Amino acid sequence: MPYANQPTVKITELSDENVKFVIENTDLAVANSIRRVFMSEVATIGLIPLTSDDIVEKMQYSRAKCSVELTLDVRCTEDQTRHVTSRDLLSNNPRVIPVTSRSRDNDPNDYVEQDDILLVKLRKGQELRLRAYAKKGFGKEHAKWNPTAGVSFEYDPDNSLRHTVFPRPEEWFYYNVESCGSLRPETIVMSALAVLKKKLSDLQTQLSHEIQSDVLTIN
């Protein structure tokens, strides 16, 4: 792992949906660790993708009362089937709303009803009332808390090196991190790197304590 201490990052594309970047001077183990943290260690809120950027880090993970309340009250009064979707959910926190509702508010001209997430269908005379609580969680516990819609990394995305013929390069990797909408893609990346950095720091501290304990035992 000759370049492990001097990695460099170059961002090649950034949008509301995804970020593409290249990491150079590292190896496969580090590259794959970063990918896994993106999906499993970055906290989000709820099952339906909810906007979480401004609040998730302020929420306590283990407290039952630390949640966002959403209510729904829909009745079908017509012969046509009533589609109950994410737009029918009302949040008690204006910073935490269904991602599709944010899209509707930001660009109403580009919004169509099919963008909403279907929850259930009601027939005439049927009614649905509920109160839901969206809590903080991590993708390693359940996929509903995964902030990404997809994460890919590879060493030659366009096959420009013809890797079926030439040896595979060992020191750089191309990433594409696509957000499900609950967090901005750059937030996912920065949060994941902070988590990985803390894990490594905790490991280093624990090893130092164990080494010191062994020395004291020998003496």
Side-chain angles (χ1 to χ4, degrees):
M1 209 162 81
Y3 304 103
N5 295 323
Q6 301 91 23
T8 59
V9 179
K10 179 181 179 182
I11 298 174
T12 58
E13 181 181 326
L14 176 62
S15 67
D16 292 337
E17 290 79 27
N18 72 300
V19 58
K20 295 181 179 181
F21 58 94
V22 184
I23 296 182
E24 298 185 29
N25 300 331
T26 190
D27 69 353
L28 180 60
V30 175
N32 191 48
S33 296
I34 295 172
R35 178 190 68 86
R36 292 175 63 89
V37 173
F38 287 151
M39 298 184 295
S40 62
E41 300 280 356
V42 177
T44 60
I45 305 173
L47 172 56
I48 292 174
L50 301 170
T51 55
S52 307
D53 278 289
D54 299 327
I55 191 174
V56 67
E57 292 301 327
K58 302 174 184 177
M59 297 178 67
Q60 295 295 324
Y61 170 59
S62 58
R63 291 176 55 190
K65 294 183 179 179
C66 195
S67 60
V68 177
E69 180 180 300
L70 300 104
T71 57
L72 186 148
D73 187 354
V74 178
R75 181 179 177 83
C76 181
T77 59
E78 301 178 355
D79 292 331
Q80 184 177 359
T81 300
R82 170 70 156 86
H83 288 189
V84 182
T85 68
S86 53
R87 72 179 300 178
D88 295 307
L89 287 168
L90 302 178
S91 172
N92 69 346
N93 189 321
R95 294 178 297 177
V96 181
I97 60 175
V99 170
T100 52
S101 299
R102 178 181 61 183
S103 302
R104 181 175 67 247
D105 295 338
N106 291 346
D107 193 355
N109 294 326
D110 193 42
Y111 167 80
V112 293
E113 288 189 1
Q114 285 77 8
D115 291 339
D116 292 314
I117 300 171
L118 178 65
L119 304 179
V120 68
K121 297 180 182 180
L122 300 180
R123 299 299 298 271
K124 186 176 181 179
Q126 293 181 324
E127 183 177 7
L128 178 62
R129 294 182 183 180
L130 61 85
R131 180 181 291 110
Y133 296 93
K135 299 181 180 180
K136 179 177 180 178
F138 299 87
K140 64 182 179 181
E141 299 175 39
H142 195 285
K144 65 183 178 183
W145 284 302
N146 183 350
T148 69
V151 179
S152 64
F153 81 103
E154 48 193 328
Y155 58 87
D156 185 19
D158 301 319
N159 196 23
S160 59
L161 299 177
R162 300 295 186 271
H163 57 267
T164 55
V165 178
F166 297 104
R168 176 174 67 85
E170 295 284 351
E171 296 88 21
W172 66 80
F173 298 89
Y174 295 79
Y175 285 81
N176 183 6
V177 180
E178 182 181 357
S179 171
C180 70
S182 58
L183 297 175
R184 292 186 294 269
E186 63 269 30
T187 301
I188 296 174
V189 173
M190 297 305 296
S191 297
L193 294 178
V195 169
L196 185 58
K197 181 178 179 180
K198 185 179 185 306
K199 283 179 173 289
L200 294 173
S201 177
D202 291 345
L203 177 61
Q204 185 178 33
T205 300
Q206 183 63 30
L207 287 174
S208 297
H209 289 166
E210 291 186 4
I211 292 174
Q212 185 177 8
S213 176
D214 290 343
V215 171
L216 293 175
T217 301
I218 294 174
N219 292 337

